[in-house]
């Protein structure tokens, strides 16, 4: 005979819960990371105006009464040129397997291109089209854009949103919750992200470097925590060439200093952040390096 629950035990917390996985896919720079952060109500993924800055899939968890959604932010699909590029595409494809709903994010300012359609073809049917960046656009422009998307094969619904202002994102979230099956709580209540602290700090450093430097650098930078002895954290910045090392350090160490200040502001008080720059020639083109950095 099954054991009776002890008297006074709380009811099953998962009873009646809707839960599942949602992936955000789309070309680089359409605003997937910004949308993930907006939906989660906090920063779980770095944002940059340079394409392809999200490398490993990041999960963000959204809780609503009776629902838990796990969002997976994927690196954008693109034509692979390097070992890193190949891994990014593989990571994007992996993220599509085993999800309950896929959202195809499209940039309302860029005009739908063959790139969006190429991604759409990989989604099968039932995906949600999220037309992002509608802030500042007139209704007419948004409607025209939606009309152009109407023939996307397999699209189930369309949501114009602005990840930046939050417009339309509640309606999107409500719809996604409706689409979730009955399921368990995948993460303990209150979890916002599955990104560990080391990865998060390394990514914050990379985010600031991308924001501050203005060259071909983005694809040549990797960051990783090499020591974590709270409050002391050491982050190593890998670049591919000596010339890039100079750019990252900046005149009189100016760039590194600026990066350090901006990152520390996002960390708990008292944190002692140390940044070091190292040249690792062509790390991107060497599969073993890419693997080791966890991308
Ligand atoms: P991802 O590569 O798809 O993850 O794109 P990001 O989230 O990194 O965003 C790329 C750029 O688009 C950044 O400069 C964002 O600030 C900008 N962006 C994202 N969402 C919006 C939006 O709703 N409106 C506007 N105007 N810009 C946005």
């Amino acid at each position: 005979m099954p054991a009776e629950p002890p008297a006074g035990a709380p009811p099953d917390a998962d009873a009646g819960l809707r839960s599942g996985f949602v992936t955000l896919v789309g070309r680089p720079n359409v605003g997937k990371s910004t949308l993930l952060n907006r939906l989660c109500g906090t920063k779980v993924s770095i944002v940059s105006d340079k394409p392809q800055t999200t490398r490993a899939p990041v999960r963000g968890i959204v809780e609503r009464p009776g629902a838990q959604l796990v969002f997976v932010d994927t690196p954008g699909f693109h034509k692979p040129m390097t070992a890193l590029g190949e891994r990014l595409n593989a990571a994007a494809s992996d993220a599509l397997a085993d999800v309950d709903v896929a959202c195809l994010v499209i940039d309302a300012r860029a005009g739908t291109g063959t790139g969006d359609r190429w991604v759409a073809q990989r989604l099968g049917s039932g995906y949600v089209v999220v037309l992002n960046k509608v802030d500042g656009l007139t209704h007419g422009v948004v409607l025209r854009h939606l009309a152009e998307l109407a023939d996307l094969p397999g699209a189930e619904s369309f949501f114009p949103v602005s990840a930046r202002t939050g417009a339309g994102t509640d309606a999107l979230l409500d719809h996604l919750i409706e689409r979730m099956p009955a399921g368990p709580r995948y993460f303990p209540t209150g979890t916002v992200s599955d990104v560990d602290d080391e990865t998060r700090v390394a990514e914050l450093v990379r985010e600031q470097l991308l924001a501050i430097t203005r060259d071909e650098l983005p694809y040549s930078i990797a960051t990783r925590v090499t020591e974590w002895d709270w409050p002391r954290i050491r982050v190593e910045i890998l670049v591919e060439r000596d010339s890039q090392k100079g750019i990252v350090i900046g005149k009189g160490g100016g760039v590194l200093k600026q990066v350090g200040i901006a990152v520390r502001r996002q960390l708990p008080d008292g944190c002692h952040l140390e940044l070091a720059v190292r040249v690792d020639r062509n790390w991107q083109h060497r599969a073993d390096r890419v693997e080791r950095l966890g991308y």
Side-chain angles (χ1 to χ4, degrees):
M1 213 177 110
E4 290 286 320
D12 180 5
D14 290 351
L17 189 79
R18 283 174 182 269
S19 68
F21 289 76
V22 179
T23 188
L24 305 176
V25 292
R27 289 190 296 160
N29 235 16
V30 294
K32 298 180 294 297
S33 302
T34 310
L35 183 61
L36 179 70
N37 293 341
R38 167 66 62 183
L39 292 168
C40 294
T42 183
K43 182 160 153 183
V44 296
S45 189
I46 70 167
V47 172
S48 161
D49 56 4
K50 311 194 177 57
Q52 273 174 248
T53 47
T54 308
R55 287 179 178 164
V58 173
R59 278 190 278 272
I61 297 111
V62 176
E63 295 260 354
R64 288 290 183 275
Q68 184 182 65
L69 274 65
V70 184
F71 282 89
V72 192
D73 180 21
T74 54
F77 284 102
H78 70 118
K79 196 159 165 260
M81 311 266 269
T82 61
L84 175 61
E86 270 168 40
R87 249 190 113 82
L88 290 176
N89 268 356
S93 301
D94 285 353
L96 279 181
D98 297 329
V99 297
D100 295 294
V101 179
C103 292
L104 173 62
V105 185
I106 291 178
D107 186 339
R109 282 147 197 261
T112 319
T114 49
D116 295 313
R117 290 179 187 273
W118 185 84
V119 176
Q121 276 169 12
R122 272 144 192 84
L123 298 179
S125 62
Y127 60 90
V128 174
V129 177
V130 179
L131 185 62
N132 188 32
K133 308 195 191 181
V134 299
D135 48 287
L137 300 182
T138 63
H139 284 301
V141 170
V142 173
L143 285 175
R144 262 203 305 283
H145 209 127
L146 286 171
E148 277 168 28
L149 297 173
D151 69 338
L152 273 178
E156 181 256 358
S157 49
F158 299 82
F159 286 84
V161 308
S162 167
R164 180 167 284 176
T165 66
T169 54
D170 283 343
L172 171 65
L173 198 57
D174 288 346
H175 177 72
L176 292 174
I177 290 171
E178 271 170 35
R179 295 266 317 260
M180 290 299 113
R185 199 170 292 278
Y186 291 101
F187 290 88
T189 301
T191 314
V192 179
S193 163
D194 71 340
V195 178
D196 61 75
D197 290 342
E198 293 198 4
T199 308
R200 200 173 76 85
V201 173
E203 287 290 87
L204 288 176
V205 171
R206 199 159 64 86
E207 178 178 45
Q208 289 307 319
L209 282 167
L210 293 177
I212 294 167
T213 60
R214 297 250 158 251
D215 332 71
E216 83 290 11
L217 268 186
Y219 310 105
S220 297
I221 293 182
T223 52
R224 63 177 179 194
V225 170
T226 52
E227 275 177 61
W228 187 290
D229 186 8
W230 185 260
R232 195 167 159 267
I233 303 172
R234 184 172 184 277
V235 178
E236 195 169 75
I237 301 159
L238 295 181
V239 293
E240 292 191 297
R241 292 190 289 280
D242 292 317
S243 56
Q244 295 168 337
K245 188 172 171 176
I247 297 171
V248 167
I249 293 172
K251 262 209 188 91
V255 171
L256 269 194
K257 203 165 165 184
Q258 216 182 323
V259 168
I261 290 169
V263 173
R264 253 174 243 122
R265 223 179 270 140
Q266 301 177 63
L267 298 175
D269 285 345
C271 170
H272 183 85
L273 178 71
E274 196 183 304
L275 301 174
V277 189
R278 199 158 70 79
V279 180
D280 185 353
R281 277 172 227 293
N282 298 321
W283 66 263
Q284 277 198 51
H285 296 271
R286 296 161 61 169
D288 58 326
R289 294 293 156 81
V290 174
E291 185 91 47
R292 222 184 50 214
L293 287 163
Y295 294 141

